[in-house]
Amino acid sequence: MAENKLQLSIVTPERFVLNEDVDQVNVPGVEGDLGILYDHAPILTTIRAGRFSYELLGEKGRETIQMIVSGGYLEVTDNRVIVLAEAVEFLDEVDNDRARASLAKAEEALAKTDLSDDEFAEAQDRLFRAIARLEPTQMD
Amino acid sequence: MPNLRDIKRRIKSVKNTQQITKAMKLVSASKLRKAQEAIMSARPYALKLMDVLHHLSARCNHDVHPLLDNRDGKRWLILLVTADRGLCGGFNGNITKKAIQVINDNSDKEIQLITAGKKGHASFKNKENKILHDHSGWTRDFDYLKAAEIGSTLSALFSEKSIDRVYVLYNEFKSVMQQEVILEQLLPIVPEKLVAGKESMSSVDYIYEPEEEAILNTLLERYMTVEVYRAFLESSASEHGARMTAMDSATRNAGEMIGGLTLTYNKARQAYITKELIEIVNGAEALKA
């Protein structure tokens, strides 16, 4: 059933990750999370580092596939969803120890008071990414 | 008549060389496949990014961003992308020649260089053009992060107005046998290039989050990185292609040389045997008489 589906493509500079028909896309936008459904208005947004997922309605019910993106853009036109991400990791690729180490590092950096704006933004970005990586495992 | 042992030694040494060139050819072939894959998978991202830039820049005021500032200055910067290693035909030579030509044609400009690859660095380190940075050894494990580093260095230099124009000079991968030296203007980003084609897209009414200018700002920086990344990937695919072709012909030439030498060797051996026979026969005749 190809009708009422969104055509989702995800590309990163290093690979063409995926091109698939899906029912819903959930994106961490810079100004808040977005859920994209069929017939969404055209939109162009910047996405922050975080958890990204898309949902498929199959015969066995709803299936959700999750992954981690680290920043990029999202464009929706005519039910085509294009994600331009810096990097994408599927959940099972996540290295927990590394994520935890990076979380600690980010918190340490943010605890300092003499950060410049750029340094702050970078540390915050790192924190978002680390949290996004760790979140799902804590929920399980 | 050349010495038999000398010829034999010569054949052996050419055979060794042939073995090396053959191995290098095979290595290049497999590296080429990887490099080709990398550039193929980088292209969709670059294309889509361009698409987004197209309809964004059609709606925005071009004077707002420092990277679009088209000023007439005489301080130019060339990012010269070469290989770290030689033995790849005219690959490095062509690009250096082109760089020298550009420098000579624009002698009224102050041209500085950023080199990537040992070969480019070696050809310019004793010249008067100042080398700002040297990224020798980067071409082997090049990834997006390194491109981002170069990209942000370039945009920083340009934004603080210590450089007025940035070019990138690299070998574009046309096919395995063919590379083309390309000189491309990186900064200031040319709006015409961004807007060309694609008028129809700008008519779609988008929701922007955050507003257009903010997206454009981040997008332009990313565009820089992607361009640098692409130049490096093109260059690396070209390098392996060039090396493969060069090593292929070297292997063939070595084969021809071995053929020639073997012929001389056999002739010399035959002559030697004949001479020996005659001596024996003569000796026997002398005894009989």
Side-chain angles (χ1 to χ4, degrees), chain B residues 28-43:
Chain B
S28 291
S30 81
K31 280 191 178 160
L32 171 70
R33 204 164 34 235
K34 240 170 85 185
Q36 222 172 333
E37 238 163 60
I39 182 98
M40 290 309 165
S41 45
R43 273 183 189 153

Side-chain angles (χ1 to χ4, degrees), chain B:
Chain B
M1 198 36 83
N3 190 331
L4 270 186
R5 206 149 16 120
D6 282 349
I7 302 177
K8 212 167 182 182
R9 203 178 293 141
R10 193 77 209 286
I11 292 178
K12 213 170 141 195
S13 109
V14 176
K15 253 187 191 151
N16 278 340
T17 312
Q18 189 191 30
Q19 230 155 34
I20 293 170
T21 57
K22 207 185 220 164
M24 278 182 80
K25 181 191 147 195
L26 292 177
V27 169
S28 291
S30 81
K31 280 191 178 160
L32 171 70
R33 204 164 34 235
K34 240 170 85 185
Q36 222 172 333
E37 238 163 60
I39 182 98
M40 290 309 165
S41 45
R43 273 183 189 153
Y45 183 85
L47 282 180
K48 299 233 157 140
L49 198 72
M50 286 291 249
D51 261 7
V52 177
L53 256 178
H54 282 143
H55 38 101
L56 255 182
S57 62
R59 313 179 121 252
C60 288
N61 184 0
H62 292 311
D63 306 329
V64 287
H65 199 273
L67 294 185
L68 296 169
D69 178 17
N70 199 349
R71 54 178 178 257
D72 268 335
K74 49 181 230 150
R75 287 160 306 169
W76 286 14
L77 180 76
I78 298 179
L79 173 64
L80 187 70
V81 189
T82 56
D84 277 324
R85 293 200 265 174
L87 291 180
C88 41
F91 181 83
N92 292 311
N94 288 345
I95 206 151
T96 320
K97 225 186 301 168
K98 176 81 180 174
I100 291 172
Q101 189 202 330
V102 170
I103 290 169
N104 289 341
D105 288 352
N106 298 288
S107 43
D108 54 326
K109 309 284 193 302
E110 247 175 70
I111 301 183
Q112 295 180 315
L113 294 165
I114 291 186
T115 56
K118 271 186 208 146
K119 293 291 166 185
H121 184 244
S123 353
F124 282 98
K125 70 180 170 202
N126 294 325
K127 298 234 163 64
E128 57 206 65
N129 300 89
K130 197 175 148 206
I131 297 180
L132 270 187
H133 294 280
D134 171 38
H135 298 298
S136 289
W138 274 31
T139 48
R140 199 167 333 157
D141 304 304
F142 194 74
D143 58 20
Y144 190 69
L145 285 180
K146 287 178 178 164
E149 202 179 316
I150 296 180
S152 59
T153 315
L154 292 177
S155 6
L157 281 171
F158 187 79
S159 314
E160 70 194 21
K161 306 204 170 171
S162 47
I163 292 294
D164 301 310
R165 198 156 282 213
V166 179
Y167 288 96
V168 60
L169 190 61
Y170 65 98
N171 273 296
E172 193 181 53
F173 181 74
K174 290 263 178 215
S175 73
V176 178
M177 308 282 286
Q178 211 184 353
Q179 301 86 35
E180 198 182 325
V181 177
I182 300 269
L183 180 72
E184 209 175 76
Q185 181 175 335
L186 269 186
L187 288 172
I189 294 168
V190 195
E192 294 87 75
K193 204 171 114 197
L194 303 179
V195 184
K198 299 285 171 182
E199 290 88 2
S200 57
M201 293 297 278
S202 53
S203 59
V204 182
D205 215 1
Y206 277 96
I207 304 170
Y208 291 99
E209 239 187 65
E211 65 275 13
E212 290 102 309
E213 266 87 18
I215 299 185
L216 185 66
N217 281 357
T218 59
L219 207 56
L220 285 174
E221 307 236 331
R222 193 149 309 179
Y223 167 81
M224 278 289 301
T225 307
V226 169
E227 281 295 286
V228 173
Y229 186 59
R230 204 176 55 84
F232 270 84
L233 290 183
E234 295 275 4
S235 167
S236 123
S238 309
E239 179 194 338
H240 295 308
R243 180 165 299 128
M244 200 178 96
T245 325
M247 287 303 114
D248 187 45
S249 61
T251 310
R252 233 190 347 257
N253 290 344
E256 271 168 33
M257 212 166 152
I258 290 172
L261 282 172
T262 314
L263 193 68
T264 337
Y265 175 76
N266 285 341
K267 273 185 186 159
R269 194 177 57 120
Q270 194 60 56
Y272 180 73
I273 292 169
T274 315
K275 200 180 99 199
E276 201 116 291
L277 264 177
I278 291 170
E279 269 166 21
I280 292 169
V281 171
N282 280 352
E285 289 290 324
L287 278 181
K288 245 190 252 171

